[in-house]
Amino acid sequence: MNKQIILVILICLAGFNSSGQQCICKEYSNEEKIKPEILIQSPDNICKAKGYGEMAAALVDASSLDSAELMLSKAGKIYEEAGCKGKPLQQIWRLWSRLSYLRADYHRALEYSLKDLELVQAENNPRDEAEVLLNISQVFARMGQTDKALAYARQSVPLIIQMKNEPAKTDLLNKAGGRYYFLYQDTKSKGLLDSTSLFFRQALDIARLVNYKKGMQTSYNKMNSLAYQQKNYPLALQYIDSSIALSSPGEINTVLATSYGDKGNILLKMGQFKEARRWADSCLHYYTQMKFPPLIANAYSLLAEIADSLGDHKTAYAALYAEKKITDSLNTADKAKAVSEVEKKYNQAKNEKTIKELNQQKQ
């Protein structure tokens, strides 16, 4: 090989390694995590950025989205000034995507998830790729673009199947089942419902096998959906109560809040309106704390139906008005168009990259 070519390759590799190293916080490791409050005091700017990222993650978990955005902006500015690209930015991309999704800013959520997808595909990381594909599927599902949502969800399935039995596989099976069930509710396709049942049952079996408490809690909540679909309300309640029983004292998360809402809905169908109202109120309270508009709208819809059944028409009207105000802000043609444009740009860039690589191979 020509010596000049070898020299150019070595220089490029050296530059790549240098760039990668300068964007890694050497004070931080997965084995021994340092508190973000300490990291942001570090003289190393990359460690400061890592600290801001960790603080943002905690703030997103706590639904403090404005504060999380501030931390992400600080981290992003440091990474940008350092010229960081690719892997070091992955945590920031994922947090921006999650934060945007929680705000129902689907255009921005998709933009960051597509960046993440390109990176995990290049790394040949099946677990992360399945996770990102399901996140993208969820964005399209929320926008009512069923075909695209299903296409991305289907891509995740072979990746999940090849994983060994572990908690992560339980989580992804439950997530995949959730996507299929969401789409089943839109399409009423029996095939989607059958796939939903398969994923949920496999997730529960693995969770029991590896004694994964959180996975069992989620799986029981998911299994209630299947019993509810069959109008087997007593069985659905058993699944819900099993899920709630696995929660830790004082713990509130999306699964638990959803269980409260599901229990309220089942009791409504069983004619136990007063008890249903109690669970629906709790669901609305916790969804409001989580600040995710679509779930808050769902809780208002449930509360309106229960209040109407109780003859409390004033509360029913107020709840329906609150629901409509939220859904009107979410379901806009402009948002759907913006999301489609982001995906179009991603696919175009991906095709251009493939053509370039093929041309290089020909040379």
Side-chain angles (χ1 to χ4, degrees):
M1 188 183 288
N2 188 293
K3 290 183 178 179
Q4 288 182 324
I5 295 176
I6 295 174
L7 181 61
V8 170
I9 292 173
L10 289 173
I11 290 172
C12 289
L13 287 174
F16 175 79
N17 290 334
S18 174
S19 174
Q21 288 172 356
Q22 73 178 12
C23 292
I24 294 174
C25 173
K26 296 177 182 178
E27 299 174 24
Y28 182 94
S29 70
N30 289 329
E31 290 76 21
E32 188 177 353
K33 292 185 178 180
I34 301 174
K35 290 183 178 180
E37 293 83 0
I38 296 176
L39 284 173
I40 63 173
Q41 300 299 323
S42 171
D44 183 337
N45 279 340
I46 298 301
C47 288
K48 284 184 179 179
K50 183 67 179 175
Y52 288 134
E54 292 295 314
M55 291 180 77
L59 288 165
V60 171
D61 286 341
S63 299
S64 298
L65 303 186
D66 290 342
S67 297
E69 181 177 6
L70 178 62
M71 295 298 105
L72 286 174
S73 297
K74 288 183 177 182
K77 184 178 180 181
I78 292 173
Y79 284 132
E80 183 180 354
E81 290 175 350
C84 301
K85 296 179 180 179
K87 186 68 175 178
L89 299 178
Q90 191 172 43
Q91 180 199 33
I92 302 300
W93 289 346
R94 290 181 177 180
L95 287 169
W96 270 122
S97 179
R98 188 176 164 206
L99 184 150
S100 301
Y101 179 82
L102 290 172
R103 286 177 167 170
D105 184 354
Y106 300 129
H107 169 272
R108 199 173 193 187
L110 181 62
E111 182 179 354
Y112 284 107
S113 286
L114 288 173
K115 286 182 181 181
D116 195 5
L117 179 62
E118 189 172 7
L119 185 61
V120 295
Q121 286 177 334
E123 292 177 333
N124 191 27
N125 185 331
R127 172 180 162 179
D128 280 7
E129 185 177 347
E131 179 85 32
V132 178
L133 286 166
L134 289 170
N135 289 343
I136 294 171
S137 172
Q138 190 173 28
V139 171
F140 281 118
R142 286 291 178 187
M143 293 300 298
Q145 298 185 35
T146 304
D147 290 343
K148 288 183 178 179
L150 183 56
Y152 279 99
R154 281 176 171 160
Q155 289 180 56
S156 74
V157 176
L159 300 169
I160 299 170
I161 290 173
Q162 66 180 267
M163 294 172 61
K164 65 180 182 179
N165 291 339
E166 59 181 354
K169 187 171 184 177
T170 292
D171 292 339
L172 287 171
L173 283 168
N174 276 324
K175 201 168 186 178
R179 300 294 173 273
Y180 274 70
Y181 187 67
F182 190 100
L183 296 171
Y184 162 74
Q185 291 176 304
D186 284 343
T187 64
K188 302 305 177 186
S189 165
K190 186 178 183 302
L192 292 178
L193 185 61
D194 290 342
S195 295
T196 299
S197 177
L198 176 65
F199 296 147
F200 287 164
R201 292 181 190 283
Q202 287 180 342
L204 182 56
D205 288 343
I206 294 171
R208 285 169 170 165
L209 180 67
V210 300
N211 195 28
Y212 178 33
K213 180 181 173 182
K214 182 182 176 183
M216 286 188 282
Q217 182 185 17
T218 302
S219 295
Y220 283 130
N221 173 274
K222 300 292 187 183
M223 289 296 294
N224 118 77
S225 302
L226 301 176
Y228 178 85
Q229 191 62 42
Q230 296 166 353
K231 293 184 169 52
N232 189 341
Y233 301 133
L235 179 59
L237 276 179
Q238 287 180 30
Y239 281 128
I240 286 291
D241 289 337
S242 294
S243 179
I244 293 173
L246 286 169
S247 61
S248 301
E251 175 189 31
I252 290 297
N253 53 39
T254 304
V255 174
L256 190 57
T258 300
S259 292
Y260 289 164
D262 287 346
K263 186 163 184 175
N265 189 37
I266 294 166
L267 291 168
L268 167 66
K269 300 300 182 187
M270 296 175 73
Q272 300 179 33
F273 303 134
K274 289 185 178 180
E275 187 68 5
R277 172 72 178 267
R278 186 169 71 86
W279 289 97
D281 283 340
S282 295
C283 174
L284 176 60
H285 172 74
Y286 292 120
Y287 274 166
T288 302
Q289 286 187 350
M290 293 172 191
K291 302 177 184 177
F292 184 34
L295 294 184
I296 297 171
N298 289 345
Y300 274 123
S301 177
L302 174 61
L303 184 59
E305 190 174 355
I306 294 171
D308 186 60
S309 297
L310 285 167
D312 184 357
H313 303 302
K314 181 178 179 181
T315 298
Y317 176 80
L320 280 175
Y321 180 80
E323 180 206 4
K324 187 175 185 303
K325 190 174 180 181
I326 295 170
T327 53
D328 284 351
S329 70
L330 298 177
N331 301 326
T332 65
D334 288 341
K335 285 189 177 182
K337 183 179 179 182
V339 167
S340 296
E341 284 298 316
V342 170
E343 189 197 22
K344 182 179 177 182
K345 289 177 183 177
Y346 164 75
N347 288 329
Q348 183 179 349
K350 192 175 181 181
N351 290 336
E352 288 173 355
K353 182 180 177 183
T354 302
I355 292 169
K356 185 177 179 181
E357 289 173 350
L358 288 172
N359 289 335
Q360 288 174 345
Q361 288 175 10
K362 290 178 182 178
Q363 295 172 358

